[in-house]
Amino acid sequence: MQVGGTVNPATGWTGQTACALQAALRLSNEGFAEHLGIGVRTVAAWHQKPDLRPKSEMQQLLDTALDQAPAAVKDRFAALTGDANPVDDRVVSDPNITAALEWLDEHAGWEPGAARRKVSRRLSGLDLRQLQDRGTRRSRVNQREVADALQRYYPDRPDDYGCYSARVDDTEITTSILTHPAWLDLDSPLGAEQLRLTSSLPDSPAVLDAEAAGHAAQRLAEGLELGTKLVNMPLYRLLGIDTAGGISGALGVSHFVHYALTMDLLEAELVDALTSGGGSLPLRDRHLPNIATVLDLSARLCAGGTLALCAFARPADPFRGPADYVLLVQERSGHVVNAARRLAVIPKGFHQPVTDYRADAKIAATLRREMEEELFGRDDIDNTVGHQRAADPMHPSRMSEPMRWLTAEPGRLRMECTAFGLNLVSGNYEFPALIVVDDEEFWTRYGGVIEANWESSTLRQYSTLDRDLLTDLAGDVAWSNEGLFALLEGLRRLNQIGGDRVNLPTIEWETR
């Protein structure tokens, strides 16, 4: 049975194929216009100008109308327009999208191959320039606006839970991180945390309705058009957390495609609503409608990870001044899925297993891996760049020279988890951390080797003696909410342990 008719991938819908859909639906001009929610004159124009190419917004309306049409209508449409819908070469040639298409077919209840055709059809209707313009509009929505909008969406918060806020000297800051006083200022050494893996089997399948499936297909099409990397890897999902006397909790396993095509869509939906001055949030209403849902970790997909403020000791310098720590801050690349074009501490990564699912459950394992990838230049640890074939990718013999130096003696590399929170943007769990290297020899040897990978577009450095610049940095609205959370909690801890190397702003937090 044919499922779709021909919509040229080079031009998308035309007046002729739009009229074919109208005929397949057996609707008058008035009925078709009402079905699509458009004006009758537009339908009449399609009849008068069969070669007319509708605008991208109309292309998406027609995509959705065909996607949601009964099978008999799709058969008639296929008969009217010729053979089955050709598939865009990019849908076939991109090796990373196959798993996403199969996942979408399964969870939307479509027959095998339907997602490939639907994504191809949506891809043919996209305009790269319009997507780039939308990206520019999205980048103008800042951290503060996102945090304020989410506080309005979630007005009712249980006692003692609130969004992480802080006063940095005289600057007031609010984030979208839902937290609790018992989750803050943890100062918990990493490596001793007790996150236990309850099962390595994938989580139960999500069921997508027509609207959610349409958004997922659109996400895949736009990712192909923009060249965004989307690689399906296993992810840990958080099932429960306890921070009393250290960090403990339960983890399960999901996959990145599940996250990317469900929870990760919430941020773009929110930002687009803010750029247009308002509007409904159907995906948020479906996936994360209230604070009770946010806190019910075991009943939803709660992916996430860790990110760390890195402080490397530097010796005194005749030009720079006294001995200090250098802090590194990245601007995320537009090619990443998470926090694109936002400021963040570095390293930053999803908490995920590589080869040893139980040992990799420790937050420290993810941080060491991310340091290797994002600071020390390794590209062979996970399968973002190539296939993972090494039995032990973090074996000392495979480590970069800087990491081998840091791990050669106890105490050279200090890692602490500073806090815990749930990011209301997409429900992610966040383990902000502080990484401190106190031996000045490291920076003298390897400071010139440190270089951010493709996930960063720029890398900045700050001195812990420059109080004014750090105060300005904390107040910069270009931060991602989770990045700002990690920065503030990391600076608070560094102020306690940094001695003469630091002159940091005063930071007092509260939960609102």
Side-chain angles (χ1 to χ4, degrees):
M1 180 180 70
Q2 284 184 307
V3 180
T6 298
V7 178
N8 192 306
T11 60
W13 289 88
T14 63
Q16 181 178 4
T17 51
C19 292
L21 178 58
Q22 176 188 356
L25 288 164
R26 295 175 177 169
L27 294 173
S28 64
N29 283 8
E30 292 78 8
F32 192 41
E34 182 178 356
H35 183 71
L36 296 177
I38 62 175
V40 178
R41 288 185 179 181
T42 301
V43 177
W46 292 339
H47 285 273
Q48 295 166 4
K49 300 177 181 179
D51 294 329
L52 179 70
R53 182 173 180 243
K55 294 182 179 179
S56 60
E57 295 84 356
M58 198 67 68
Q59 297 268 343
Q60 293 179 28
L61 283 176
L62 290 164
D63 281 340
T64 301
L66 181 57
D67 286 347
Q68 297 180 356
V73 171
K74 293 176 180 176
D75 286 346
R76 290 195 292 269
F77 178 73
L80 289 167
T81 56
D83 55 8
N85 185 39
V87 174
D88 190 292
D89 288 342
R90 288 170 290 180
V91 178
V92 178
S93 61
D94 189 317
N96 298 319
I97 201 171
T98 301
L101 295 171
E102 292 175 351
W103 186 94
L104 186 52
D105 277 336
E106 178 184 356
H107 295 84
W110 297 339
E111 68 175 69
R116 183 173 64 250
R117 293 188 292 272
K118 293 172 189 289
V119 170
S120 179
R121 189 164 59 243
R122 288 173 181 268
L123 185 56
S124 69
L126 293 177
D127 184 313
L128 180 59
R129 215 172 316 179
Q130 289 183 354
L131 291 179
Q132 291 170 335
D133 290 344
R134 186 190 64 185
T136 300
R137 291 193 298 272
R138 285 178 174 177
S139 69
R140 292 173 181 165
V141 176
N142 61 51
Q143 175 270 327
R144 201 164 297 162
E145 291 171 319
V146 170
D148 290 345
L150 289 168
Q151 289 216 22
R152 291 192 298 271
Y153 186 91
Y154 300 106
D156 299 321
R157 293 180 281 277
D159 291 343
D160 296 329
Y161 287 92
C163 288
Y164 183 87
S165 304
R167 176 182 289 275
V168 182
D169 283 347
D170 295 325
T171 302
E172 292 282 350
I173 294 171
T174 300
T175 74
S176 66
I177 307 298
L178 183 74
T179 190
H180 185 281
W183 293 353
L184 300 174
D185 294 341
L186 297 181
D187 310 333
S188 180
L190 289 177
E193 67 271 24
Q194 298 297 317
L195 290 176
R196 64 189 184 281
L197 180 66
T198 60
S199 173
S200 62
L201 298 176
D203 51 10
S204 57
V207 178
L208 303 183
D209 59 21
E211 182 173 37
H215 281 281
Q218 187 70 16
R219 169 65 177 279
L220 293 176
E222 291 179 1
L224 287 170
E225 184 71 16
L226 291 168
T228 304
K229 290 190 177 184
L230 194 160
V231 181
N232 192 31
M233 298 177 289
L235 289 179
Y236 289 119
R237 57 174 298 193
L238 189 62
L239 302 174
I241 186 69
D242 183 5
T243 60
I247 297 171
S248 62
L251 297 171
V253 174
S254 185
H255 283 88
F256 187 75
V257 161
H258 184 178
Y259 168 77
L261 299 185
T262 55
M263 305 302 290
D264 196 47
L265 299 178
L266 303 187
E267 180 174 10
E269 178 188 62
L270 175 65
V271 172
D272 286 342
L274 291 173
T275 61
S276 62
S280 61
L281 301 172
L283 292 177
R284 184 168 296 276
D285 295 341
R286 171 189 172 87
H287 294 303
L288 213 63
N290 50 49
I291 291 294
T293 308
V294 175
L295 293 171
D296 193 0
L297 304 182
S298 62
R300 66 175 181 89
L301 175 59
C302 184
T306 184
L307 62 174
L309 178 65
C310 278
F312 298 104
R314 295 189 296 191
D317 182 273
F319 299 101
R320 188 186 64 249
D324 66 353
Y325 291 106
V326 60
L327 307 177
L328 300 178
V329 171
Q330 64 170 319
E331 180 181 338
R332 299 283 281 174
S333 164
H335 293 293
V336 298
V337 173
N338 188 246
R341 300 186 178 91
R342 299 293 185 189
L343 295 181
V345 294
I346 187 170
K348 168 183 171 65
F350 281 98
H351 192 34
Q352 60 188 89
V354 179
T355 55
D356 188 335
Y357 279 47
R358 192 167 298 283
D360 290 342
K362 290 187 180 295
I363 303 164
T366 288
L367 277 181
R368 286 195 300 270
R369 184 187 71 238
E370 292 299 323
M371 288 184 73
E372 285 279 74
E373 293 176 346
E374 296 189 17
L375 294 177
F376 302 151
R378 283 190 60 189
D379 60 5
D380 63 337
I381 300 177
D382 60 31
N383 61 352
T384 303
V385 176
H387 295 292
Q388 175 54 258
R389 297 188 178 95
D392 187 357
M394 288 300 291
H395 189 276
S397 65
R398 301 182 68 92
M399 286 181 179
S400 66
E401 187 177 342
M403 183 59 80
R404 277 201 302 271
W405 190 92
L406 287 171
T407 56
E409 295 181 12
R412 283 182 172 178
L413 180 63
R414 297 168 53 193
M415 293 182 177
E416 293 182 357
C417 182
T418 54
F420 173 78
L422 296 167
N423 195 341
L424 295 178
V425 171
S426 53
N428 286 3
Y429 63 87
E430 310 288 356
F431 285 107
L434 176 66
I435 295 175
V436 181
V437 178
D438 286 311
D439 192 332
E440 296 173 349
E441 184 182 349
F442 177 81
W443 190 260
T444 302
R445 280 177 176 247
Y446 303 112
V449 175
I450 293 175
E451 182 176 346
N453 68 355
W454 66 270
E455 296 180 38
S456 300
S457 60
T458 60
L459 194 61
R460 311 178 191 175
Q461 61 172 247
Y462 292 84
S463 169
T464 51
L465 294 175
D466 199 334
R467 180 175 184 142
D468 291 339
L469 272 187
L470 288 172
T471 301
D472 291 344
L473 177 65
D476 194 329
V477 295
W479 279 98
S480 65
N481 279 276
E482 66 275 13
L484 186 53
F485 182 41
L487 174 77
L488 297 177
E489 282 291 286
L491 290 178
R492 278 177 60 85
R493 177 58 174 161
L494 201 55
N495 215 3
Q496 296 173 350
I497 64 176
D500 293 338
R501 291 183 182 273
V502 306
N503 179 26
L504 302 173
T506 300
I507 301 172
E508 298 295 335
W509 59 257
E510 63 177 325
T511 55
R512 295 179 182 172

